[in-house]
Amino acid sequence: MKNNSRSKLSVFALGGLDEIGKNMYVVRYGDDIIVIDSGLMFPEEEMLGIDVVIPDITYLLENREKVRGILLTHGHEDHIGGLPYILRELNVPIYGTKLTLGLVEHKLREAHLLNQTKRIIVNNRSEVTLGSIRASFFKVNHSIPDSVGIALETPEGTVVHTGDFKFDMTPVNSNMADMHKMAEIGKKGVLCLLSDSTNAERPGFTGSERNVGEALAEIFRIGRQRVIVATFASNISRIQQVVDAARDHNRKLAVIGRSMVNAVNISMELGYLRVPPDLLIDPDEINRLPAHKVAVISTGSQGEPMSALTRMAHGAHRKIEILPGDTVVLAATPIPGNEKTVAKTVDQLYRVGANVIYSANSSNGVHVSGHGSQEDLKLMLNLMQPKYFLPIHGEHRMLRAHGQLAESIGVRPENVFICDNGDTVEFSSGKARYGSKITTGKVLIDGLGIGDVGNIVLRDRKLLSQDGILVVVVTLSKNNGKILSGPDIISRGFVYVRESEKLLEEANRIVTQTMEKCANEQVSEWASLKTSIREALSRFLYDRTRRRPMILPIIMEV
Amino acid sequence: MKNNSRSKLSVFALGGLDEIGKNMYVVRYGDDIIVIDSGLMFPEEEMLGIDVVIPDITYLLENREKVRGILLTHGHEDHIGGLPYILRELNVPIYGTKLTLGLVEHKLREAHLLNQTKRIIVNNRSEVTLGSIRASFFKVNHSIPDSVGIALETPEGTVVHTGDFKFDMTPVNSNMADMHKMAEIGKKGVLCLLSDSTNAERPGFTGSERNVGEALAEIFRIGRQRVIVATFASNISRIQQVVDAARDHNRKLAVIGRSMVNAVNISMELGYLRVPPDLLIDPDEINRLPAHKVAVISTGSQGEPMSALTRMAHGAHRKIEILPGDTVVLAATPIPGNEKTVAKTVDQLYRVGANVIYSANSSNGVHVSGHGSQEDLKLMLNLMQPKYFLPIHGEHRMLRAHGQLAESIGVRPENVFICDNGDTVEFSSGKARYGSKITTGKVLIDGLGIGDVGNIVLRDRKLLSQDGILVVVVTLSKNNGKILSGPDIISRGFVYVRESEKLLEEANRIVTQTMEKCANEQVSEWASLKTSIREALSRFLYDRTRRRPMILPIIMEV
């Protein structure tokens, strides 16, 4: 017996809209909930001290008995990185391709969640029944092998999620996107398409990963000393091309950086990275070989301060330092927000004498994006011919741009839904409309704490970071309220004490005066006394320095 | 009577090398010191709480009686913004063109330095004798009118400083760069050229500012409601083109944002901005006119959180809000580091329904750089034909790239000097070599404090911003060392207290135990006691939370 509310299809995001990261999309039909991806996001600049951000899964926890599983499109952090946190609270089966699950297993083992989690490997031919919904998968090209899109057949119609994709006509592993299957799905009829919007602002087609291989080959050929390539550890296809270039130009290859070593190991084990025997060397062997016989692949393409490449550039890496004449390739473009750290790393590499190849000075291209540009996106839209379109995986303007592309190939403007996380689109009898809003948001992770840092703590960190803190301590007598000790003022992050002794002396006087005044006015509540101290001191310091440090009055009574 | 050390020519930078900002170059011959520009820089991300950064002028203060004057190339902040701080300590005459000094005067008035500072207006035909050095000026094109390069004739030879420049064959004010004068200087012989490296990595010629005018005209023509253009207040030529577009398309123009109003006023007063009568309207009048009769020019092209455009986008501006159908033009590219704030502003503008035109979606270009690209730079090098070349105004890799351009037009590799701030190049008998290093560095300005925030304070702010602070207070008896009150633990920016009562209770126990242990071991020095508390608590908290808040033990004795 089905009631009306049950037979409704709804689609929404718990993460991934109006942002790049923490992708998590939900398709629900009646009592069956399917989750697609569980990503993390790296913190925004203003999230001081936060390590990672994951989606708020309150909705899933409130409906935990209905969640049939989490389907994964591919093995990047913004699609699988949230799993160790989320599976701890929601024990459901996960479905993914071999490489994707290989990368997930590594994470789950570290989080002691491997045994409790049911994991099902799928491929291009799999069909999975999840309650009333049938899921199938289609190969796409992206900067990591074994990426798939997902088609969900529901009683209300088919919902397609592209995953992250581009159309690469000459992919590195010769594993083309399965355009035939996409065409078949499109022909049968797609009710709603959810498609990757990352590059919706970019005209043209995204280049083939193989172009990068050609550029790398040339660099390996002409480099007279060592060649060091930094790229994303997750870009297995790029790593394959570095392996191939090293092989073709008779260089041994050392792998540097924890996440790079890990990615190489897993993808070799699972057969996604083909490395000739004897090609890889231990980093300790680098200095024993002639420079022109060595290549290195490393993390640090974003100039991250603690990464292997940055440490090499500053002579702070244990195993290898950059020598004059080495060629260093940054085979990645800076992620928005990282432009300055990348530029600093390039500068430092030049300083130590390296020949640096990076996006600004490389005419033949040592990086291509893994995401489709406007023509790729239109090709997907044309293959799928969806009735409704919901652009995903992008900031607001990218979703907009993608919506316009959909309109340009014939999707009706009123059938394009530009959503935020938590906005639901409901389908019923072939018609779509906005439904009610779902609770969602950001869960901040700081160290071991999940969600114990919120706006108040962040506001305090912000305040502390701007002008530091002044702690004012004073001990009063329980008997007569007289000052027994203090006021003492201790400052951190405010000003050099040596340079401001007089200022702090005066501050001390202000506190004493304020306390005397309060005593005369018979202010007995500590809260009011503390407020008076804070206000008087804050005013004084702002007048004198134009700064507003946090002021923390502490009153002890003995 | 001249001794040998006096007759030496030396050239160096106190700011502007390996950075974009705080430009300050020094040319010294014998006892005559000439300073070129006195800029400021905006703080790097890690300089928490800092407002601006200026060069360390210790060298100039130690040689104050030798400083003959400060010559200014143009009126941008990174060339004149340091003057209010520097002239306070070094009262010397300043030389600049009419608009440059107009902008400087506004700053000096605010800093109460106007009356004490001797200001001399120069132009393309001026010659100024400064001790043994004769300075002349040549017009260049840049994104602000009245920009000049400077030629310094010294007994050792001529040193040329280009200022910031590009070659604009169709400049907005029809005021071409004076290529004839440059040719003449070059023909007479240039010992050393100092030239702007900002765009040394960019191939080709930089486009003409007039191209932007054409793009703007089209936008003003087709916009059916209000057109709002955000750009740099300092880009007077860009402002002129917005004025022209408003005039040509029968729109009244409102000027919004404090620095924009200021720039418009000064440049109108001095005749550098030609505005038809009745074109400008008060912001209060915006809503009284039909939308298609209104244009707005505003600050906020970098998405700065407090800027006029950002406030408009969020409905937080007192005078004007963005309405659906308005066209908003971001006529500037993001400065490195500002990409994310710009993207957020674009997103927010879309959300409120504006039609947004910005670098990624504007094919015909609403921004061109004010700095010359590789072909401009080669043209300058060819005109000047310098014997020695010292690339300036750029980060290390830009200086390198510029050095290679110089070599490509025939400067000998050993005659190219890639310097850091403080590196001196000395010329004697027509030969150049590196001299001794000059003290230089960054002076940080926070509120009213100049240089009272340094590495220790910044390190504390960084620590505080990451994991907050725990203050541990305890009162001991003077007589017997027993605890009279406390330990009390107060945290800020560490964790929600509500969520962590148990943690803080345990922390309290740790402190008490540590103090008891110290008492048993007869630790009597407070410093050791504090260190023990800090270490024990830090270890405990890291174990439990993987965070490292600053810990501040305070011991009171009564």
Side-chain angles (χ1 to χ4, degrees), chain A residues 329-392:
Chain A
V329 184
L330 275 77
T333 44
I335 292 175
N338 290 349
E339 292 83 357
K340 286 193 130 180
T341 52
V342 172
K344 279 188 184 169
T345 302
V346 172
D347 281 346
Q348 181 57 26
L349 289 165
Y350 270 124
R351 283 173 185 284
V352 296
N355 169 25
V356 194
I357 297 167
Y358 57 108
S359 50
N361 74 353
S362 156
S363 54
N364 51 356
V366 288
H367 179 70
V368 295
S369 174
H371 299 272
S373 302
Q374 292 177 345
E375 298 306 316
D376 301 75
L377 301 180
K378 285 193 245 171
L379 176 49
M380 178 63 85
L381 279 156
N382 274 319
L383 284 168
M384 291 298 172
Q385 301 180 61
K387 182 168 177 189
Y388 294 99
F389 181 58
L390 205 165
I392 56 170

Side-chain angles (χ1 to χ4, degrees), chain B residues 259-331:
Chain B
S259 60
M260 186 62 78
V261 169
N262 183 38
V264 166
N265 286 342
I266 292 177
S267 46
M268 277 176 73
E269 243 170 61
L270 300 177
Y272 289 90
L273 188 66
R274 295 172 308 280
V275 182
D278 299 332
L279 185 89
L280 295 186
I281 55 169
D282 192 89
D284 287 321
E285 295 177 65
I286 292 172
N287 296 323
R288 290 191 212 130
L289 290 169
H292 69 283
K293 290 288 177 200
V294 175
V296 173
I297 185 155
S298 160
T299 52
S301 64
Q302 298 297 305
E304 311 92 317
M306 297 307 293
S307 72
L309 182 67
T310 310
R311 283 187 285 138
M312 283 181 222
H314 287 277
H317 196 277
R318 281 179 311 119
K319 304 281 185 179
I320 169 171
E321 63 178 321
I322 308 288
L323 298 175
D326 285 348
T327 301
V328 180
V329 184
L330 275 77

Side-chain angles (χ1 to χ4, degrees), chain B residues 267-510:
Chain B
S267 46
M268 277 176 73
E269 243 170 61
L270 300 177
Y272 289 90
L273 188 66
R274 295 172 308 280
V275 182
D278 299 332
L279 185 89
L280 295 186
I281 55 169
D282 192 89
D284 287 321
E285 295 177 65
I286 292 172
N287 296 323
R288 290 191 212 130
L289 290 169
H292 69 283
K293 290 288 177 200
V294 175
V296 173
I297 185 155
S298 160
T299 52
S301 64
Q302 298 297 305
E304 311 92 317
M306 297 307 293
S307 72
L309 182 67
T310 310
R311 283 187 285 138
M312 283 181 222
H314 287 277
H317 196 277
R318 281 179 311 119
K319 304 281 185 179
I320 169 171
E321 63 178 321
I322 308 288
L323 298 175
D326 285 348
T327 301
V328 180
V329 184
L330 275 77
T333 44
I335 293 175
N338 291 349
E339 292 82 357
K340 285 192 132 181
T341 52
V342 172
K344 278 187 185 172
T345 302
V346 172
D347 281 346
Q348 180 58 26
L349 289 165
Y350 270 126
R351 280 173 186 285
V352 295
N355 171 25
V356 193
I357 297 167
Y358 57 109
S359 49
N361 74 354
S362 156
S363 55
N364 51 354
V366 288
H367 179 70
V368 296
S369 174
H371 299 272
S373 303
Q374 292 177 345
E375 297 306 315
D376 302 74
L377 302 180
K378 285 194 244 170
L379 177 48
M380 178 63 84
L381 280 156
N382 274 319
L383 284 168
M384 292 297 171
Q385 301 180 64
K387 180 168 179 190
Y388 294 99
F389 181 58
L390 204 165
I392 57 169
H393 202 283
E395 296 172 7
H396 189 74
R397 65 193 180 288
M398 304 168 190
L399 305 181
R400 287 269 188 156
H402 203 177
Q404 282 177 358
L405 295 178
E407 291 178 30
S408 79
I409 67 107
V411 177
R412 292 164 62 162
E414 65 272 26
N415 287 5
V416 173
F417 287 81
I418 310 285
C419 294
D420 270 344
N421 294 327
D423 288 347
T424 62
V425 182
E426 292 180 353
F427 300 85
S428 179
S429 318
K431 291 237 182 297
R433 60 175 189 83
Y434 281 108
S436 55
K437 186 118 181 153
I438 298 288
T439 302
T440 175
K442 297 178 165 87
V443 174
L444 310 184
I445 296 176
D446 180 2
L448 298 180
I450 302 179
D452 65 348
V453 170
N455 287 336
I456 298 174
V457 172
L458 287 182
R459 204 189 51 203
D460 281 351
R461 287 183 185 175
K462 174 83 182 163
L463 260 175
L464 289 166
S465 76
Q466 291 301 301
D467 289 321
I469 185 168
L470 263 79
V471 182
V472 182
V473 203
V474 60
T475 310
L476 300 180
S477 158
K478 243 180 216 155
N479 304 325
N480 55 17
K482 285 255 151 66
I483 294 177
L484 295 178
S485 166
D488 285 354
I489 298 183
I490 300 106
S491 83
R492 285 290 183 277
F494 172 55
V495 68
Y496 272 139
V497 175
R498 197 161 39 93
E499 303 240 348
S500 57
E501 270 175 25
K502 261 176 65 186
L503 183 75
L504 292 180
E505 270 168 35
E506 282 181 72
N508 214 306
R509 252 195 314 277
I510 300 280

Side-chain angles (χ1 to χ4, degrees), chain A residues 145-348:
Chain A
D146 236 9
S147 296
V148 292
I150 299 172
L152 298 173
E153 279 179 62
T154 80
E156 182 64 35
T158 299
V159 176
V160 172
H161 184 295
T162 63
D164 291 5
F165 77 98
K166 68 175 176 181
F167 287 98
D168 192 333
M169 300 296 159
T170 54
V172 169
N173 51 12
S174 306
N175 229 330
M176 270 282 291
D178 192 343
M179 293 174 63
H180 299 92
K181 186 153 186 187
M182 292 181 209
E184 213 174 285
I185 294 167
K187 200 167 175 193
K188 277 203 251 170
V190 171
L191 177 66
C192 181
L193 175 68
L194 283 65
S195 180
D196 172 9
S197 309
T198 312
N199 279 344
E201 294 173 296
R202 268 200 215 171
F205 272 104
T206 297
S208 170
E209 179 65 28
R210 192 155 299 182
N211 301 348
V212 176
E214 287 161 16
L216 284 175
E218 180 64 9
I219 292 164
F220 274 65
R221 195 179 64 75
I222 63 175
R224 294 205 295 196
Q225 298 194 40
R226 300 177 306 180
V227 177
I228 295 142
V229 182
T231 191
F232 295 109
S234 61
N235 197 331
I236 312 291
S237 309
R238 190 74 41 87
I239 299 172
Q240 180 70 60
Q241 303 205 93
V242 175
V243 166
D244 295 349
R247 178 199 61 202
D248 294 348
H249 295 89
N250 298 312
R251 290 172 183 266
K252 298 288 185 188
L253 183 66
V255 184
I256 304 259
R258 204 174 68 94
S259 60
M260 187 62 79
V261 169
N262 184 35
V264 166
N265 286 342
I266 292 179
S267 47
M268 277 176 73
E269 244 170 60
L270 299 178
Y272 289 90
L273 188 67
R274 294 173 309 280
V275 182
D278 300 332
L279 184 88
L280 294 187
I281 55 168
D282 192 87
D284 287 322
E285 294 176 65
I286 292 172
N287 296 324
R288 290 189 212 134
L289 291 168
H292 69 281
K293 291 286 178 201
V294 175
V296 173
I297 184 155
S298 160
T299 53
S301 65
Q302 298 298 305
E304 311 91 317
M306 299 305 294
S307 71
L309 182 68
T310 311
R311 282 186 286 137
M312 283 181 221
H314 287 276
H317 195 277
R318 281 180 310 122
K319 304 281 183 180
I320 168 171
E321 63 179 320
I322 308 289
L323 299 175
D326 285 348
T327 301
V328 180
V329 184
L330 275 77
T333 44
I335 292 175
N338 290 349
E339 292 83 357
K340 286 193 130 180
T341 52
V342 172
K344 279 188 184 169
T345 302
V346 172
D347 281 346
Q348 181 57 26

